[in-house]
Amino acid sequence: MKVKKIISSVLLTFSLLTGGLTQAKPVAAALDKQQAIDIIKQNDQTNGQLDFTVSVEPHLKKGRAIPATVFSLTGGFNQNVVHMSGYVPTAYVGKSKKIEFWADEKENRLYTYIGDQWEYQPLNSSRNDQLTSNIIKTSNFDQLLKNGKFSQQNGTYTLKTAANGNQAYKTGLKLARIASGVKFSKKELNYLNKYTKLGTIYATHRLQDDHLIDSKSSVKYVIIKVATVKMTFKVSHFGEYADLAVPMDVKKAAKPADIDANK
C-alpha cells in the first residue's frame, strides 16, 4: 500500500471521528459517570489538535530490540479542514523526509507533500459516507463507555475504556479497506488472519467541569515473527484551531497528483 493512500485513509478517518459533533448539555460542577459519558458522546468542541504516532519493535532471535518511532504526525482540525505534518525515516541512516497533509472538505481536496512537491487530489466523499456508516454499525462505543473505569482527582475526571482487539480485528480490517480503497487478495487476507494479532485497544478521556480536555487511544498490532507495531492517537487543545485553513502558498504550489500511481 502506498504511503499517500495510507495517509489519505488516516485523514478521512480523523475527519469522521472529529466531525459532525453536537452541543453538550450543561451539567453540575461535580460529575458522575453518566454525566461524563454524556459529555464525551456529545462533545461540542469542533476543533483541536491531533497527534498520531507509530513505533515499531522488531522481533529479534537474540536480545531485545528497542522500539523506534517510525512515523509521527501532529496537526489540527476544525469542521472543514484537517492538517498534519511530520517526518519519516528514509533508507539512508540518520536521514528523514518531511511529510505534510491538508484535507479540505469544502474544496473536496487532499493536498500532500512528501519530500519535494505539493500535490492535490479529490477526497472520496462516497467512500467517506460508506466508512461513516460502517463505523456506526459496528462500533460498540456506548457499551465501552458504560463499562469504563471512572475516577476523579483534583477536579480532573478520567474515564478509561478497553476493547478486545481480536474481536475488533475483522471490523478494523474492513474499515481500513473501505477508507484506503485497497482490496486485499485472498492470499494476503489469509496471511493477515494467520500471522497478525491486534492487542487490547485502550482509550482514555479526561474532563474538567463540563467539558472534555483530551482523548487518547492506543493499540499494539503484532506481526508474528516480524515486529510489534504500537499506534497512539490523541485529540487535545480543543478550541484553538477554529481559524485553521489551507495556506494560499500550498494551493498555488500544488500540482494535480497522478492518482493511478497511488494505487
Side-chain angles (χ1 to χ4, degrees), residues 45-233:
Q45 301 289 353
T46 56
N47 66 86
Q49 180 174 313
L50 302 170
D51 292 283
F52 180 63
T53 303
V54 177
S55 62
V56 175
E57 180 182 343
H59 295 170
L60 304 179
K61 291 183 179 180
K62 294 183 179 180
R64 176 177 174 80
I66 300 175
T69 299
V70 296
F71 196 87
S72 181
L73 291 173
T74 187
F77 72 93
N78 57 33
Q79 290 179 304
N80 300 310
V81 175
V82 177
H83 171 244
M84 300 199 81
S85 63
Y87 290 85
V88 294
T90 66
Y92 302 97
V93 178
K95 299 290 184 179
S96 61
K97 62 180 178 181
K98 181 181 178 180
I99 55 174
E100 189 170 358
F101 308 90
W102 288 91
D104 192 318
E105 185 177 351
K106 280 190 173 181
E107 292 186 356
N108 190 37
R109 277 190 176 182
L110 172 65
Y111 297 88
T112 63
Y113 181 95
I114 303 179
D116 58 1
Q117 175 62 54
W118 279 105
E119 296 181 345
Y120 69 84
Q121 63 189 73
L123 291 171
N124 192 324
S125 57
S126 61
R127 187 181 298 160
N128 198 334
D129 293 340
Q130 187 181 5
L131 185 60
T132 304
S133 176
N134 276 274
I135 289 175
I136 293 172
K137 289 179 181 178
T138 57
S139 65
N140 197 18
F141 190 55
D142 287 356
Q143 194 60 43
L144 283 174
L145 292 176
K146 289 179 180 179
N147 293 339
K149 183 179 179 180
F150 184 64
S151 62
Q152 187 271 140
Q153 184 176 5
N154 299 326
T156 298
Y157 301 84
T158 303
L159 184 62
K160 296 182 178 181
T161 65
N164 187 310
N166 290 330
Q167 294 178 357
Y169 176 75
K170 290 185 177 179
T171 297
L173 190 62
K174 181 178 181 181
L175 295 177
R177 187 168 64 248
I178 294 171
S180 66
V182 173
K183 293 184 179 180
F184 299 103
S185 67
K186 186 176 181 180
K187 183 178 180 180
E188 289 171 329
L189 286 173
N190 288 338
Y191 180 89
L192 290 172
N193 290 328
K194 185 176 181 179
Y195 294 106
T196 64
K197 179 182 178 181
L198 195 65
T200 303
I201 303 169
Y202 296 100
T204 300
H205 308 278
R206 295 196 309 146
L207 309 92
Q208 282 183 350
D209 300 326
D210 62 349
H211 63 277
L212 186 66
I213 301 174
D214 55 47
S215 294
K216 182 179 180 179
S217 59
S218 64
V219 64
K220 285 186 177 180
Y221 182 74
V222 180
I223 308 172
I224 307 301
K225 297 182 180 180
V226 179
T228 297
V229 181
K230 182 179 180 180
M231 294 171 284
T232 61
F233 173 53

